[in-house]
Structures are given as C-alpha cells and as structure tokens.
Amino acid sequence: MERTFLMVKPDGVQRGLIGEIVSRFEKKGFKLIAAKLMTVSRELAEAHYAEHREKPFFEELVGFITSGPVFAMIWEGENVISVARQMMGKTNPADAAPGTIRGDYGISVGMNIIHGSDSPESAEREIKLWFREQDQISYEKTIDRWIY
Ligand code: RTP
Ligand code: MG
C-alpha cells in the first residue's frame, strides 16, 4: 500500500487547522501511520526543500518553515500520494479549487498551509528524512473492508 508524507505548515498550526486537516484525510479513508508536532531545524528544512535550492524564494521558504511548529504526518492508502495532492489543491491558493485545503483556507503562495509529497520518489525520500522506522505504526483497521 502506498504511503505519503504530509505536513501542516506553521501557518496551518497557528490558525488551528491541524484537526480540520487530519479529519479530512481520516474521513476520506486513509490510514494515519505516524504524526508529530515539531520545530524544524534549518538543516532539515534545507534538506526537505533541496530541489528548490537555486530558486529565488528558497530563503523565504526555509525561513517560513522554520518559523514555528509544524505537524508532520505519514498517511497510507491506495493512490494516497496523488489523491492527497488533489485534496490539497494547487500550490497557489488563488488557483486552488474550492473544496481543497488550500482553496478553502489559503490566500498566498508563501503560506499555503500544507505540504504533500509530489511523487513516489519524493514520498520515499521525505518519509525517511522526517520519521524513524520505529515511529511508523503498521496496524489493521477493520473498517478497511468497507473502503477497499
Ligand atoms: P509543497 O512542496 O510545499 O508541498 O508545495 P508544492 O509542491 O505545491 O510546490 P513547490 O513547487 O514544491 O514549492 C514549494 C513551496 O515553495 C513556495 N513557493 N513560493 N514565491 C513563489 O513563487 C513560490 N513558489 C513556490 C510555496 O510555498 C510552495 O508550497
Ligand atoms: Mg513540492
């Protein structure tokens, strides 16, 4: 079963959106594998956003993600990587459809509430970067037979 890395960014935590965001993925039928509230070091932020190192917004991005606690999560389910991206909406909340997380709660591209892995390769890399193996919980949910 596929897994993805999702993170409520500092703006989402400050605005009290952790519960709302967790609730959306729970209700969809995905399974929570790991979660933690944490502050992000500059080192971790730079590693996480390494693909954007040369971009003009890199400093702003690292500054933002280290500016307050984030809520990091691993979620599991069929096609969870692409479906979670759809549930998040487009990167710029101005382009994100109503009904998506960024479409419903975001205004600016710099503070767009949530991060989600954009491919299987990113998901594997990010899960390893953010969580230890022993903090990822494998368990049965009996409701799964009503989902799959
Ligand atoms: P994320 O990685 O945070 O989940 O967002 P994403 O895949 O939708 O977008 P990505 O292209 O990976 O960009 C990472 C974050 O950089 C900020 N950004 N700012 N000022 C700008 O033009 C600009 N472009 C991107 C956004 O906060 C985006 O989430
Ligand atoms: Mg991205």
Side-chain angles (χ1 to χ4, degrees):
M1 198 65 90
E2 200 169 87
R3 289 184 177 183
T4 195
F5 172 71
L6 302 181
M7 168 176 57
V8 182
K9 294 182 179 181
D11 56 330
V13 173
Q14 290 295 331
R15 292 178 54 194
L17 292 172
I18 294 174
E20 167 67 24
I21 288 168
V22 168
S23 186
R24 287 185 181 216
F25 292 99
E26 271 191 316
K27 287 175 188 162
K28 176 71 174 168
F30 291 132
K31 188 193 283 183
L32 186 62
I33 299 299
K36 58 180 168 182
L37 184 71
M38 60 182 285
T39 52
V40 183
S41 67
R42 188 172 177 92
E43 187 187 9
L44 177 57
E46 287 183 354
H48 175 74
Y49 280 124
E51 63 170 316
H52 298 306
R53 189 152 295 192
E54 307 305 324
K55 305 266 173 66
F57 56 81
F58 183 71
E59 276 308 314
E60 187 189 333
L61 185 56
V62 169
F64 169 57
I65 222 72
T66 56
S67 67
V70 302
F71 193 68
M73 300 165 279
I74 301 171
W75 287 87
E76 183 181 272
E78 231 167 74
N79 300 314
V80 67
I81 299 169
S82 64
V83 174
R85 293 281 296 189
Q86 288 177 45
M87 290 169 66
M88 288 160 52
K90 294 244 173 79
T91 303
N92 188 344
D95 302 324
T100 65
I101 293 164
R102 287 165 170 168
D104 286 349
Y105 303 117
I107 300 279
S108 66
V109 69
M111 292 193 282
N112 57 8
I113 302 164
I114 182 166
H115 163 81
S117 307
D118 61 10
S119 68
E121 296 71 34
S122 300
E124 197 188 338
R125 186 185 76 86
E126 292 169 5
I127 285 170
K128 275 208 194 95
L129 190 60
W130 289 82
F131 284 95
R132 302 181 305 172
E133 195 91 45
Q134 61 263 42
D135 295 329
Q136 303 174 33
I137 313 299
S138 293
Y139 59 105
E140 295 293 317
K141 283 178 89 176
T142 51
I143 198 167
D144 280 354
R145 70 190 178 94
W146 300 104
I147 294 170
Y148 298 107

